[in-house]
Amino acid sequence: MILALLILLSVRERRKEMGILLAMGEKRSKLMGQLLIETFAVATVAFLITYATGGMTSQFMTDQLLSREVTEATSTVATQTGFGGPGGPGQQMLNSIPQITEMTTNIDWVTLIQVMEIGSLIVFLSVLFPSVALLRMNPKEILLRED
């Protein structure tokens, strides 16, 4: 929804440009294609930046969350009623459970392609709805309208 609203604002700002191009005889499909290509170009750069930084960011977040969970689990078991302190049944139970101390995160190609497909669909729909409303108008209506 946010992307659609941003593109709607962009299309409204370029309304006069589109009205002039339509008045000069430019086809509506070419204008729609121009908007799609521009938006997909920006989306492609965004996908690449996200892919490049996503691995590092997700690994950092995973390490932080894992260390917090291990710390909380240790303190919870040690402070529960009836389990006592070090050497008690709670500590023995904690020692018997294998602890996860390291996790690796990675982005595989299948997931990346799925994200790109969903993102492309969102981009396409975000361009389609605002531009169809504008391109259905006559060039004269577009140029005379004062919003």
Side-chain angles (χ1 to χ4, degrees):
M1 293 303 292
I2 293 171
L3 182 62
L5 291 173
L6 290 173
I7 292 174
L8 175 66
L9 291 174
S10 172
V11 169
R12 280 189 175 193
E13 287 177 11
R14 297 176 65 185
R15 184 183 70 238
K16 287 194 180 206
E17 172 192 342
M18 291 183 186
I20 291 170
L21 289 171
L22 285 172
M24 291 174 54
E26 194 66 49
K27 293 182 181 177
R28 297 174 196 275
S29 60
K30 277 190 169 183
L31 290 177
M32 180 91 76
Q34 177 184 348
L35 289 171
L36 279 171
I37 289 172
E38 290 171 358
T39 309
F40 274 112
V42 172
T44 301
V45 171
F47 284 136
L48 291 175
I49 291 172
T50 302
Y51 179 69
T53 60
M56 295 180 295
T57 306
S58 65
Q59 185 63 49
F60 175 75
M61 294 299 294
T62 301
D63 293 342
Q64 294 296 320
L65 290 172
L66 183 61
S67 67
R68 183 183 311 156
E69 287 295 320
V70 168
T71 304
E72 286 179 9
T74 304
S75 65
T76 300
V77 169
T79 59
Q80 282 181 347
T81 308
F83 283 104
Q91 186 66 37
Q92 291 171 359
M93 184 177 76
L94 184 62
N95 291 338
S96 68
I97 299 172
Q99 292 185 5
I100 300 173
T101 56
E102 187 177 318
M103 291 180 89
T104 16
T105 59
N106 61 1
I107 302 171
D108 60 345
W109 287 103
V110 174
T111 305
L112 182 64
I113 290 171
Q114 288 175 343
V115 168
M116 289 178 65
E117 287 174 347
I118 293 169
S120 297
L121 178 65
I122 291 170
V123 166
F124 179 74
L125 293 175
S126 296
V127 170
L128 182 70
F129 292 131
S131 61
V132 164
L134 181 66
L135 294 178
R136 286 195 308 161
M137 300 171 74
N138 294 329
K140 183 179 177 182
E141 291 175 16
I142 294 172
L143 294 171
L144 290 176
R145 194 168 176 191
E146 292 184 32
D147 286 335

